[in-house]
Amino acid sequence: MLCLGVETSCDETAIALVEDGRRIRSNLILSQVEKHQKFGGVVPELAARCHLEVISQLTAEGLRQAGVSPQAVDLVAATYGPGLIGGLLVGLSLAKALSLAWQVPFVGVNHVEGHIYANFLAHPELEPPLVCLTVSGGHTQLVYMPEHGVYELLGQTRDDAAGEAFDKVARVLGLGYPGGPPIDRLAQQGQPHLTLVQHDALAGTYNFSFSGLKTAVVNLVHNLKQKGEELPAADIAASFQRQVVTILADRAFRAVDEKKVQTLAVSGGVAANSQLRAFFSAEAKKRGVQFVSPPPVLCTDNAAMIAAGGYFRYLKKGPSSLALAVAPRLKLD
Amino acid sequence: MRIRKEPDETLMIWSDSPAETEELGKILGGILQPGDLFFLSGDLGSGKTLFVRGVTLGLASTEAATSPTFALIHRYEGKLPLYHLDLYRLSSAAELIPLDLEELCQEEAAMMIEWGEPAKEVLASTYMEVVFTRGEEEEQRVLTFHPEGERYRQINHLLGVELEKTATGK
């Protein structure tokens, strides 16, 4: 079954064709990052306009690169939430229109469900049960997945998303947007010797809090500037990053133990962080469990993961109604 | 927490910890009425979202507030519905149009807007502006409540009364 996936929930316009939820036939991503860089973040209306301008052409190009005609498509899947309303509307409307025009079923996919399915694209043998941590600019969710299409939300952030904390700390350190890659690079030149937050207030739970950590960086930078001292930016980046990774690993591996699964998956933009990958992979090895994570191109927003998630959702639950509305704050169910 | 009323009816509140900032929000949550509009300004890490989290606790909302930076707008259901917005990423008032803020303002709900400069002119002429600044201690924050209009002077009065009650343990 060939599924066309559409992803427009934030600042990437993406189209992909995926066979049987596992094999990528084409995967196109038009990033708007440059357009948003000067604003230090995604500008929602700009994003929606950009999606609209390019999405039809991108669809045609996706079909061309996959070497198929529209008649070969069996299913159309699109993200219907969570995300920015303007962008979601563009992608969802396109998917519904194509479903009607091509007379194939349509299925709406949760964006976080898509991130989970990015792992299944990267690892063809992968099967549930597993625990998946999705960490990106807008999402921080720890999910137990006993079988395809079934999710139990174990924990999430009570303030800022993990990627958002990277973006905001990068802003304070003057590193630009998005914050993940420059902090990752800078951290490699620094020592993680600064204790930014003394204790983990949510220890023992599956929930996350990154606002206090962000504020600790803000306070430190403020104090050093007041004293006229030079900013040890690399050490700050390394210390901040180490604390984020430690908190994420604590929750994720505890869930692996409690749910007695053999596989831990990590997806979303923050999963591309080099220290996170190194730490998680060493910790998994120590415990004798499998650690999987998609390659960077499937970690950041893409439509292949939506096509994969859509395929498995369709098998489990059938098509979605064409009346399905966008849901900017959609929860995983 | 220490408070000071200025002659121009501005209220200054010193919060000595994140917990106090949250507590202050919680107290305010008990005072809010439909239509109340707050603009929150201050640097990153000055406690704006934490303050709104307190408000959702005070309103007994079904969820405690989290950062609205990514989604721009969150709505919480409680004793009174609350909209929480972060307009940091908007570059002009024109980008507000799809958010339909004016319509949301007509609802029986309260609204708190972070980085709300672009929205100020298009929304009501009466509102509360809360400015978050650093105090002398690392964790200390000074919240200055500038009322614009009778309702907001009343809120400052009520807030002063409630805080004095808390301070004297009544």
Side-chain angles (χ1 to χ4, degrees), chain B residues 96-116:
Chain B
L96 285 171
I97 296 165
L99 291 174
D100 250 337
L101 290 191
E102 285 154 276
E103 202 179 305
L104 298 184
C105 279
Q106 302 304 312
E107 291 181 25
E108 296 284 297
M111 187 179 282
M112 305 218 153
I113 309 182
E114 300 183 28
W115 305 96

Side-chain angles (χ1 to χ4, degrees), chain B:
Chain B
M1 244 183 290
R2 191 156 55 84
I3 68 172
R4 190 168 85 203
K5 289 176 203 159
E6 302 289 332
D8 65 352
E9 303 194 62
T10 293
L11 188 65
M12 289 178 79
I13 302 175
W14 282 259
S15 156
D16 291 320
S17 67
E20 283 194 1
T21 301
E22 190 179 274
E23 179 61 24
L24 179 59
K26 196 171 166 184
I27 293 167
L28 176 66
I31 295 171
L32 288 181
Q33 286 182 3
D36 285 347
L37 173 64
F38 282 64
F39 290 98
L40 313 180
S41 59
D43 291 338
L44 263 185
S46 59
K48 301 183 292 296
T49 297
L50 185 64
F51 176 74
V52 178
R53 183 182 161 83
V55 172
T56 52
L57 297 178
L59 288 171
S61 305
T62 51
E63 273 180 279
T66 57
S67 168
T69 301
F70 177 73
L72 292 184
I73 180 162
H74 286 167
R75 180 187 159 107
Y76 298 97
E77 303 301 332
K79 285 181 204 159
L80 179 70
L82 177 75
Y83 284 102
H84 180 202
L85 292 88
D86 179 345
L87 304 183
Y88 179 78
R89 294 179 287 160
L90 300 194
S91 54
S92 73
E95 293 182 354
L96 285 171
I97 296 165
L99 291 174
D100 250 337
L101 290 191
E102 285 154 276
E103 202 179 305
L104 298 184
C105 279
Q106 302 304 312
E107 291 181 25
E108 296 284 297
M111 187 179 282
M112 305 218 153
I113 309 182
E114 300 183 28
W115 305 96
E117 283 307 321
K120 232 176 219 168
E121 283 165 28
V122 294
L123 296 178
S125 58
T126 65
Y127 51 80
M128 182 82 82
E129 163 129 41
V130 189
V131 180
F132 293 66
T133 51
R134 288 177 168 277
E136 287 160 11
E137 302 298 322
E138 178 157 303
E139 290 213 319
Q140 192 181 60
R141 299 289 185 265
V142 187
L143 282 70
T144 311
F145 290 69
H146 298 282
E148 290 290 338
E150 189 48 41
R151 164 65 188 151
Y152 299 94
R153 286 191 285 274
Q154 185 196 16
I155 291 178
N156 270 0
H157 172 72
L158 293 172
L159 204 51
V161 170
E162 286 300 319
L163 288 171
E164 272 157 29
K165 266 195 230 165
T166 320
T168 53
K170 280 178 201 164

